[in-house]
Amino acid sequence: MNSSLVYEKENPYEALALIDGLKQIGRPTLSEDCIKSLQRILSRFSSNKLMDAEWSLSIASSGRRATLRFPMGVKINESIILRALVLENLCYSASTTSSKRMLHDAAVFFTFLEEHNIHIENCRSSLINIYITKLDSIPDLSISQKNSLMRTVAALIATCSKYELLQGIGVIDCSYRWKEQKEPKRSPDSCVTEALDVLFFDITNIDIPNAYRCLYFLLRLIPNRISEVLTMDIDCLSYPDVDVYAVSIPTSKETPYHVPKYQKYNRKLSGWCEGMMYESIRTHQAFALERQSALTNYDKDYLFISPINNRLITEAEFNVFLKSLCIRYNILDASGNQAHVTSHNFRHVAIGERLRNNIISTILTMIESNHSTPEQTMAYGYQSIKDEATHLGAITDEIFQKSWGVSSSDNKVIEPIVFPEYKYKSMADQPFTRLIPGYGICCNVSCSPRFEKCFSCRKFQPDKMYLEYIENAIRILEKKITTLQKKRGSADAIKFNQERLEVFRLYVSKINNSCMHAFA
């Protein structure tokens, strides 16, 4: 058998010549018409040829550019099928990231087939079961990685079935998935969102280019995906009524096979936030129009031209800007650590605010968010763990605060609720929690307890009775500081706890000095 017809080389052969060779050795392959169709689809994304070892892609809908490198040492027929699958994925989702993951996962499966000396068209359910057992035996693979590998196998088999390449009777079952325990995706802490709101809604802040401010307004006030917002046309504004403007945003990712549908979001011109968003859009429209002559044909007529260079703003670029902003202004989360937010977090914030405020119904929120089911929309309503606990606490306070400690039925005093030990420990581990001698712990950073002043006062004489308690407090603070330093926590939190540590050490120092004087 001629090995040049079996394995892909660095200098790829023409696809049509390859399929002729495959037919000569008796392997089922794609027809010439299918190969030509795949090459036409590829031309919408890249100038490369179908069997090139690398594809340089340009996705018009998102402004992304990426290079896909196909695995070497893969048999020719499998390689053609893999390319067909990648093109189908690009047309469906326009995602280069998922395509790269698919290439990696496919290489794992092709290596498995090579080990068993089986062509992909000869796959059976029994072989898939062996593959599942093999994945189960790899300890370093997470459940999500195993499921990703199985999804790619299912997609490869479906592609073979689509082009009628499978040889054999019966359905190949690739439906097995490992069960995943997933935590719900949550919004960032409200303190982080509020800090970013202060920065972006301050139009005098020169650290924020208008392009990013405009993008933030749209993500913050309209629950769209960033991939949809980034494909907005320059001519995206209309005026349906007096004191009303409408923003047109595509409701799905644009791909070479379809033009996206547009949804209009009506907003009030005289509204405070809405008015700022309108002015920001108008300003960036003027900026984008000025840049048109310097843009490629792929980037023309889009609104969000980058302030850095002559191309569309990308999701990664905006996320990097958000990260730099959090670092520059030392924005911390509720635990005192450096805040980390992405553009997708604001979709969770916008949807969650609509659901919690009960102003817009779940169905209308679903339509605004371009979801397919109300359940999908409800999954976006989770607050951060800290905000959720605060919100639930406010509800119970409202219910019980008027009759706390007294039974309305028999006027008997109710036994106070014991604070669970695990909750006490969790609160004590928070970076800005203080130990109050003789009382407990406190999370109110703005409070100025008197004991800290007393410990530092020269007239104060500490009681040796509390020495063991104070020494335990010192050990807790030292452990907390060490943990913050290892996790590269907030410098402010470390300084805060170091100051508390010095206060308690002063207490011990005074006790030791008094003992020495007594001994003398």
Side-chain angles (χ1 to χ4, degrees), residues 57-309:
L57 302 177
S58 178
I59 310 298
S61 60
S62 61
R64 291 182 179 177
R65 290 175 172 79
T67 300
L68 294 187
R69 295 178 176 86
F70 288 87
M72 303 303 295
V74 176
K75 293 181 180 180
I76 288 297
N77 206 30
E78 279 78 353
S79 187
I80 294 174
I81 293 167
L82 180 56
R83 282 162 166 78
L85 175 59
V86 170
L87 285 174
E88 185 175 339
N89 180 66
L90 287 171
C91 291
Y92 176 73
S93 67
S95 171
T96 55
T97 304
S98 61
S99 298
K100 288 179 179 179
R101 183 173 61 250
M102 194 173 282
L103 290 176
H104 168 270
D105 293 350
V108 175
F109 183 60
F110 290 151
T111 302
F112 169 78
L113 294 179
E114 184 73 20
E115 290 172 355
H116 289 75
N117 196 27
I118 293 176
H119 299 312
I120 190 169
E121 64 267 21
N122 296 321
C123 274
R124 299 290 183 273
S125 293
S126 57
L127 185 70
I128 301 299
N129 290 335
I130 296 172
Y131 185 63
I132 291 169
T133 305
K134 179 180 175 64
L135 295 181
D136 255 335
S137 67
I138 304 174
D140 294 336
L141 280 180
S142 67
I143 290 176
S144 61
Q145 288 173 323
K146 292 176 185 177
N147 286 336
S148 174
L149 287 161
M150 283 302 299
R151 283 192 292 270
T152 299
V153 171
L156 285 167
I157 298 300
T159 302
C160 290
S161 178
K162 176 182 176 180
Y163 292 105
E164 300 179 349
L165 302 180
L166 295 176
Q167 294 180 333
I169 302 173
V171 177
I172 300 176
D173 185 6
C174 302
S175 62
Y176 183 84
R177 299 291 184 273
W178 288 263
K179 290 184 179 180
E180 294 185 72
Q181 296 293 331
K182 287 187 176 180
E183 275 289 315
K185 293 182 179 179
R186 297 179 179 273
S187 301
D189 291 320
S190 57
C191 59
V192 175
T193 307
E194 289 165 5
L196 288 170
D197 283 346
V198 169
L199 292 175
F200 278 95
F201 281 92
D202 178 9
I203 58 175
T204 63
N205 190 331
I206 60 174
D207 289 339
I208 301 176
N210 182 66
Y212 298 146
R213 177 176 282 111
C214 182
L215 186 53
Y216 182 86
F217 286 165
L218 287 161
L219 294 173
R220 187 72 178 81
L221 301 176
I222 301 175
N224 277 87
R225 303 174 182 88
I226 187 170
S227 58
E228 296 168 343
V229 174
L230 289 175
T231 57
M232 287 172 59
D233 296 331
I234 293 180
D235 188 17
C236 60
L237 294 176
S238 57
Y239 306 90
D241 207 339
V242 178
D243 197 30
V244 175
Y245 70 95
V247 182
S248 297
I249 301 178
T251 60
S252 59
K253 297 175 182 177
E254 183 180 354
T255 69
Y257 275 155
H258 69 274
V259 176
K261 296 178 181 178
Y262 286 81
Q263 183 163 320
K264 290 188 176 182
Y265 298 88
N266 297 317
R267 294 294 183 266
K268 195 171 183 180
L269 267 169
S270 57
W272 184 71
C273 293
E274 293 83 355
M276 292 179 70
M277 181 170 74
Y278 173 76
E279 291 297 333
S280 182
I281 293 173
R282 291 285 294 166
T283 302
H284 197 62
Q285 279 180 327
F287 173 81
L289 286 169
E290 288 178 0
R291 291 288 192 93
Q292 289 299 296
S293 59
L295 301 176
T296 64
N297 291 332
Y298 284 113
D299 297 336
K300 285 183 177 179
D301 300 325
Y302 288 107
L303 174 64
F304 281 104
I305 306 303
S306 173
I308 300 173
N309 43 40

Side-chain angles (χ1 to χ4, degrees), residues 414-428:
I414 300 172
E415 290 294 324
I417 297 173
V418 178
F419 199 66
E421 184 179 349
Y422 74 92
K423 288 189 177 180
Y424 186 94
K425 184 179 183 303
S426 175
M427 188 183 292

Side-chain angles (χ1 to χ4, degrees), residues 347-491:
R347 181 165 164 83
H348 285 261
V349 172
I351 294 173
E353 286 177 343
R354 282 161 169 73
L355 295 176
R356 285 190 298 278
N357 292 332
N358 204 26
I359 298 171
I360 303 175
S361 71
T362 304
I363 299 299
L364 287 176
T365 304
M366 178 194 76
I367 295 169
E368 271 201 339
S369 307
N370 306 316
H371 283 152
S372 54
T373 63
E375 289 77 16
Q376 187 180 6
T377 303
M378 295 293 284
Y380 275 71
Y382 290 95
Q383 296 175 280
S384 71
I385 293 175
K386 182 78 70 174
D387 290 339
E388 185 179 84
T390 303
H391 176 68
L392 294 174
I395 294 173
T396 54
D397 284 349
E398 182 70 23
I399 296 171
F400 296 112
Q401 64 182 349
K402 294 181 181 178
S403 58
W404 182 254
V406 178
S407 171
S408 59
S409 59
D410 53 12
N411 266 351
K412 290 183 179 179
V413 176
I414 300 172
E415 290 294 324
I417 297 173
V418 178
F419 199 66
E421 184 179 349
Y422 74 92
K423 288 189 177 180
Y424 186 94
K425 184 179 183 303
S426 175
M427 188 183 292
D429 288 340
Q430 297 299 319
F432 290 99
T433 298
R434 284 181 288 195
L435 296 150
I436 312 296
Y439 287 92
I441 58 177
C442 176
C443 296
N444 187 358
V445 181
S446 61
C447 175
S448 298
R450 292 188 176 184
F451 84 89
E452 295 179 357
K453 297 178 182 177
C454 292
F455 281 13
S456 304
C457 178
R458 61 185 179 84
K459 296 181 180 180
F460 172 75
Q461 183 56 47
D463 191 333
K464 288 185 288 184
M465 172 181 164
Y466 294 106
L467 179 60
E468 185 178 352
Y469 176 92
I470 297 297
E471 287 176 339
N472 284 332
I474 288 173
R475 283 192 288 272
I476 291 170
L477 285 166
E478 288 174 339
K479 182 180 177 182
K480 185 184 289 189
I481 292 168
T482 302
T483 302
L484 285 168
Q485 288 172 339
K486 284 181 179 178
K487 292 183 177 180
R488 297 184 180 179
S490 162

